[in-house]
Amino acid sequence: MSQKANPTYVGLFFVTGLALSLAGLLLFSARSLFHQQNKDILYFNASLKGLNPGAPVKFRGVTIGSVIEIMIRHNQAPEDFAMPVIIAIDKKLAQSKSDDQLQIGSLTALDDLSRRGFRGRLEAESLVTGVLYVALDIVPNAPSPVFHQLKPEYHEIPTVPSEIQQLMSGLAHVDIHGLAEKLTNSLTRIDTKLGQLDVVAINADITNLLESANSVVRSKDLTNSLTSFRKTLDNVEALVKHVDSRVDPLVDSATNTLVDAREALASLQSNLRNLSSLLGPDSALRPNLVQALEGLSDASRAVADLAEFVKRNPNALLVGRKAPKEIP
């Protein structure tokens, strides 16, 4: 027989669970209770599959809020089928992470940001799971903002297509049928050209070419030429070694000759300096040298006069020179 449950324990368990539930509720709603939440609305011209309430709202990857409601239509024209999404931005959190760039608490600041390219778009948290979040960013050269609200109820943030949406939009404008038709025509022309080729003749020509190449490779003339070329290379290598062995002694001899020539020039310079010092204006040898040169000059003139006299009087060498006659 089973024991009857104690009502006190059941009541205590129920009260404890209720207290924990209230504590969790307070913990998860503390930000909305103590932080000012700024509600904004965005309209997306795309499917919202993968976007759920509670999804993060990020400005360039930094979480500043969350999605609070996803709707099909809200406060828009009958022919407008954009999907509205209401987000809550933690104003204090956003301002704590930016000094003045993301002041979106007022309509004036939001309008200024919109003119500068402030836009929202859907981005994927993971391509595997397909979970989406709302990404806010300053888009360079953004298109003019488009607003959907008929009556100003929320601050509206303009949106732009995501990169995947832009890619799909570009693919939608591609003429797939035309490309397929051109590809089919190209393949048909290629098949026609291939059918016109004489494969048998081409194969025979290739076979003949390979046989000719094989006969050339195996010919004795080519083998002899390669052998002769190898011998020529060996001779060239021996000649290079011989020249190399001769070059070093020749270089040494030329070096010794240059050294001897340099010493001879130095000796000649020394002798010239000595001669210059002997013949200089202040040299003691210069007057004697001048006197000797003058005597040598006089002797040269006397020899010249004697030669002239002998030329006129050849017999003078035998009879001597006659004394001059005395004048009475």
Side-chain angles (χ1 to χ4, degrees):
M1 185 175 182
S2 62
Q3 185 177 2
K4 186 178 181 180
N6 192 335
T8 304
Y9 292 156
V10 174
L12 182 60
F13 178 79
F14 177 76
V15 171
T16 303
L18 181 61
L20 291 175
S21 300
L22 291 176
L25 180 62
L26 290 176
L27 179 63
F28 287 106
S29 63
R31 176 171 295 178
S32 60
L33 291 176
F34 300 105
H35 288 186
Q36 182 180 356
Q37 299 290 317
N38 191 72
K39 291 186 178 181
D40 301 275
I41 192 169
L42 301 92
Y43 290 84
F44 294 101
N45 288 311
S47 172
L48 301 181
K49 181 181 179 181
L51 184 67
N52 301 308
V57 175
K58 301 180 181 181
F59 178 77
R60 292 185 173 179
V62 179
T63 301
I64 59 173
S66 60
V67 175
I68 60 175
E69 190 173 0
I70 301 172
M71 295 179 288
I72 298 177
R73 295 181 55 82
H74 180 76
N75 191 18
Q76 56 195 104
E79 65 278 4
D80 185 1
F81 295 98
M83 304 288 286
V85 175
I86 299 176
I87 63 173
I89 296 178
D90 191 330
K91 184 177 179 181
K92 185 176 180 180
L93 177 62
Q95 292 180 354
S96 67
K97 297 181 180 297
S98 173
D99 50 3
D100 59 355
Q101 186 180 16
L102 202 60
Q103 302 294 332
I104 58 177
S106 64
L107 183 61
T108 303
L110 183 59
D111 291 340
D112 180 65
L113 284 172
S114 298
R115 285 191 296 270
R116 292 161 54 188
F118 184 64
R119 299 289 186 272
R121 61 188 174 198
L122 296 175
E123 296 289 351
E125 286 278 10
S126 172
L127 295 177
V128 177
T129 61
V131 177
L132 301 179
Y133 70 92
V134 176
L136 303 178
D137 199 351
I138 303 294
V139 180
N141 302 321
S144 300
V146 177
F147 299 100
H148 299 263
Q149 290 188 110
L150 296 178
K151 297 179 181 180
E153 183 178 352
Y154 297 98
H155 294 171
E156 184 173 349
I157 300 176
T159 61
V160 292
S162 64
E163 295 179 355
I164 297 179
Q165 289 176 320
Q166 294 176 5
L167 177 61
M168 297 303 295
S169 177
L171 292 176
H173 293 85
V174 176
D175 187 5
I176 303 297
H177 179 71
L179 290 176
E181 185 177 356
K182 291 180 179 179
L183 181 60
T184 302
N185 294 334
S186 299
L187 292 176
T188 302
R189 288 196 297 271
I190 293 173
D191 184 65
T192 303
K193 295 295 182 181
L194 291 176
Q196 294 174 356
L197 294 177
D198 190 354
V199 179
V200 176
I202 294 174
N203 188 21
D205 292 338
I206 293 176
T207 302
N208 294 331
L209 179 61
L210 292 176
E211 289 179 354
S212 300
N214 189 21
S215 62
V216 170
V217 170
R218 293 182 177 181
S219 65
K220 293 182 178 180
D221 293 336
L222 180 61
T223 304
N224 295 333
S225 298
L226 292 176
T227 304
S228 176
F229 182 68
R230 181 176 301 171
K231 291 181 179 179
T232 303
L233 290 179
D234 294 337
N235 294 332
V236 169
E237 183 179 2
L239 178 61
V240 169
K241 291 181 179 179
H242 181 70
V243 171
D244 185 60
S245 63
R246 295 288 186 178
V247 166
D248 290 340
L250 182 61
V251 170
D252 294 338
S253 178
T255 303
N256 296 331
T257 303
L258 290 176
V259 171
D260 294 340
R262 187 179 294 110
E263 292 177 355
L265 288 175
S267 177
L268 180 59
Q269 286 180 345
S270 176
N271 293 331
L272 289 176
R273 283 195 296 270
N274 294 333
L275 182 59
S276 176
S277 63
L278 290 176
L279 298 178
D282 299 332
S283 176
L285 185 60
R286 182 165 182 169
N288 297 331
L289 183 60
V290 172
Q291 185 177 0
L293 290 175
E294 289 176 353
L296 183 60
S297 179
D298 293 340
S300 297
R301 282 194 296 271
V303 172
D305 292 340
L306 178 60
E308 183 65 25
F309 176 76
V310 172
K311 183 179 181 181
R312 289 195 303 268
N313 303 289
N315 296 327
L317 294 175
L318 299 174
V319 299
R321 184 177 182 182
K322 294 182 180 181
K325 294 181 179 181
E326 294 182 358
I327 300 174

